[in-house]
Amino acid sequence: MRVAWFQKLPVTVRVPLVVAGLMVALGVVASQGVLAVLGSVQDARLRELTRLHVEGLSVALGPFVLRQDVWEVYDLLDRAQKAGDGQRLLLTLVSDTQGRVLAATDPRRAPVGSDIARFMVDATAPEAVRMTGDAVLRVLAPLLYQGRDVGRIVTELDVSDLLDERRHIALWLLIGNAAATALLGLAGWLVVSRLLRPLGILVQAMGGETGVPHAIPESRIPRADPGLTRLFETYNAMTAAAEARAEAERRLAARERFVSLGRLSSSLAHEINNPLGGLMNAADTILSYPDRSDVVRQSAGLIQRGLAHMRDVSRAILDHNRLDRSEQPLRSEDFEDLRLLFGPEAAARGQTLDWRIAADAEALGRHPAAPVRQVVLNLLLNAGVAAGKSGQVALDVGSDAHGLHLRVCDSGPGMAADDLARLMASGPLPPGGGVGLRLVHDMVERLGGSISHQRTADMTVIVVFLPPGRETDA
């Protein structure tokens, strides 16, 4: 979750940010390295100073410490402090082996004969001296003379100037590295952004704001880079091929629709032509026997029934092809219209049609009418072709708490592999054949549903599941 916002940024922004971040990290590491080297140099200077100081005092004070000659010890300490770095050596004191102070450069702080123990607190050996952040460092060393341990030497060093030097250098390092890092980060951002600009063009062409891929204009192809030129030209070729395939699928879909309408029209022509013959006979009968009321009533009833049948057939055709039905809810009347549309084709083949609508009005009303009608009609038309002469076709519509179930069965020999691929898969269409089954697949997918296929001993079963409440642009 913490890096989700970063992952949502375009790659043309993320890469320069990463480069700038690496440069900042490099500046921090370089500053730490410089400060570490400075600390090592300062520590080495302090250790060398304390070593020379302690060794010189040991050689000069050894005989006087053995004789407990306090005045000579004090005189040597005073001359050593004046001759050496007096500003850094704050205090130097010498004690005997029992820890009693013999002399000190500041007798008021360390009187003769006092205990040296309080000056040994936090004291380190000369070879272990290092900067700790304190302004005063205390060094403790044995006083050796001719290989014998004759006392102790304690020295206090003022290192405040070294601390100021370190802080001053650290401040300038911070300012200098910040400025250099900012400049290098900006330069890296500009360079990487320029290098990734072709990638940004490609990303925009692949989707952009509309989400639809489009070809890259010739003027935006980087001809200076042969590799990128080939990449852009290959992408344009793929885009053109995808557009051509989509256009071919649209044409096939339109052709399939016209073919389906043609087949339905030829079947429905019989449904209209047969009642027309009866209507003409009834009209002739009325004209021939206008004075016989029973014959007129019988003929008028025949005319009324024929006209009602023709009205139902024409209404079903109009409802199926009406363009403004996409927002209307599904009703049981929609399936009755489909029965009127498909019934003549099934009757022409001598097929048995089993029709069962078990879903109630509330369950049907959760789904749009137009795409569901189109899905069922396409499946019925394919089932009718597959069942052949004297075959069986069935439609079973049911519902449960999860959604609507549309079950279409036929007694045909089963679906071919290409037809099954059109219905079940989303890949390119296999060569040959129509796209009615692919239309079913696309519509069900837009409705958020699923399709399953089963083949029993003598029946092919297609089950379409549609969850409720899914909008569609079908």
Side-chain angles (χ1 to χ4, degrees):
M1 294 299 292
R2 289 178 295 180
V3 297
W5 65 271
F6 184 76
Q7 295 175 348
K8 293 179 181 179
L9 294 176
V11 67
T12 52
V13 176
R14 279 185 290 166
V15 174
L17 281 178
V18 170
V19 171
L22 291 176
M23 289 184 176
V24 171
L26 179 61
V28 173
V29 172
S31 299
Q32 293 297 323
V34 171
L35 291 176
V37 171
L38 176 62
S40 299
V41 172
Q42 289 180 338
D43 292 342
R45 287 170 55 188
L46 284 177
R47 285 193 291 271
E48 182 66 16
L49 174 64
T50 54
R51 184 183 65 82
L52 294 175
H53 177 67
V54 170
E55 289 180 354
L57 288 179
S58 297
V59 173
L61 294 175
F64 304 109
V65 172
L66 283 175
R67 295 197 301 267
Q68 300 289 311
D69 191 341
V70 175
W71 291 109
E72 288 293 336
V73 172
Y74 175 78
D75 183 59
L76 286 173
L77 290 178
D78 185 57
R79 284 185 292 169
Q81 185 169 14
K82 292 178 180 179
D85 192 354
Q87 294 181 347
R88 192 172 302 285
L89 299 175
L90 297 178
L91 172 68
T92 302
L93 59 90
V94 178
S95 71
D96 55 16
T97 54
Q98 282 75 35
R100 295 188 303 271
V101 175
L102 295 178
T105 55
D106 188 353
R108 290 176 296 181
R109 288 188 58 194
V112 177
S114 61
D115 192 358
I116 197 178
R118 61 191 180 95
F119 294 99
M120 297 173 60
V121 178
D122 297 330
T124 59
E127 63 273 7
V129 173
R130 63 183 183 87
M131 299 289 290
T132 61
D134 296 327
V136 177
L137 298 180
R138 193 172 286 169
V139 181
L140 172 65
L143 199 158
L144 301 176
Y145 180 69
Q146 294 181 353
R148 293 174 56 188
D149 187 356
V150 297
R152 298 287 184 271
I153 300 176
V154 176
T155 301
E156 288 185 351
L157 302 176
D158 182 7
V159 294
S160 57
D161 59 327
L162 298 180
L163 291 177
D164 292 339
E165 180 183 8
R166 176 175 293 191
R167 283 192 292 267
H168 186 264
I169 293 176
L171 177 61
W172 280 107
L173 275 175
L174 178 62
I175 297 174
N177 282 338
T181 301
L183 291 176
L184 290 176
L186 178 60
W189 174 283
L190 296 176
V191 171
V192 175
S193 298
R194 184 175 181 83
L195 292 176
L196 292 179
R197 188 177 301 169
L199 182 60
I201 296 174
L202 184 60
V203 171
Q204 290 180 354
M206 291 176 64
E209 297 180 355
T210 62
V212 179
H214 59 272
I216 300 173
E218 183 69 22
S219 59
R220 304 192 71 182
I221 297 179
R223 296 295 179 183
D225 190 328
L228 289 176
T229 301
R230 289 195 301 271
L231 175 62
F232 279 40
E233 290 177 347
T234 303
Y235 169 78
N236 282 345
M238 292 173 60
T239 304
E243 291 178 353
R245 190 186 74 178
E247 180 62 26
E249 290 185 359
R250 285 192 293 268
R251 292 179 180 177
L252 286 174
R255 187 186 70 178
E256 182 72 15
R257 182 175 179 85
F258 285 127
V259 169
S260 300
L261 291 176
R263 288 193 300 177
L264 287 175
S265 299
S266 62
S267 299
L268 293 173
H270 294 288
E271 289 296 305
I272 296 176
N273 190 48
N274 291 335
L276 279 177
L279 292 176
M280 293 296 295
N281 291 332
D284 290 340
T285 301
I286 292 174
L287 292 175
S288 299
Y289 304 98
D291 55 341
R292 296 183 57 179
S293 58
D294 56 336
V295 174
V296 171
R297 284 195 299 272
Q298 185 178 4
S299 299
L302 179 62
I303 292 175
Q304 187 177 21
R305 289 193 298 274
L307 289 175
H309 178 73
M310 293 172 64
R311 179 199 62 194
D312 293 340
V313 171
S314 62
R315 182 182 298 168
I317 297 175
L318 289 174
D319 283 346
H320 181 72
N321 293 280
R322 192 179 297 163
L323 297 178
D324 60 352
R325 290 184 52 87
S326 59
E327 300 299 329
Q328 294 186 9
L330 186 65
R331 304 171 301 167
S332 59
E333 288 83 355
D334 291 308
F335 291 100
E336 292 303 319
D337 291 346
L338 291 176
R339 189 171 187 174
L340 281 173
L341 292 174
F342 179 70
E345 184 163 334
R349 294 191 178 97
Q351 296 172 345
T352 301
L353 182 59
D354 184 10
W355 202 270
R356 179 175 176 271
I357 310 299
D360 56 21
E362 182 180 357
L364 295 176
R366 300 191 185 102
H367 304 271
V372 176
R373 285 170 60 108
Q374 189 67 38
V375 166
V376 174
L377 181 59
N378 279 340
L379 290 177
L380 287 173
L381 291 175
N382 281 278
V385 173
K389 294 292 183 179
S390 303
Q392 296 180 1
V393 178
L395 171 66
D396 186 358
V397 179
S399 63
D400 56 21
H402 302 288
L404 193 66
H405 299 269
L406 309 173
R407 188 170 180 267
V408 179
C409 309
D410 67 78
S411 59
M415 298 182 67
D418 289 346
D419 291 336
L420 192 60
R422 290 185 180 92
L423 179 64
M424 305 296 292
S426 300
L429 288 173
V435 293
L437 294 175
R438 173 50 58 88
L439 289 177
V440 172
H441 173 275
D442 293 343
M443 287 184 178
V444 172
E445 188 177 59
R446 286 196 293 267
L447 290 170
S450 61
I451 305 174
S452 61
H453 166 264
Q454 297 177 358
R455 177 64 187 174
T456 61
D458 56 354
M459 296 292 287
T460 299
V461 181
I462 303 297
V463 179
V464 175
F465 168 72
L466 299 176
R470 179 71 178 266
E471 296 294 334
T472 179
D473 59 353

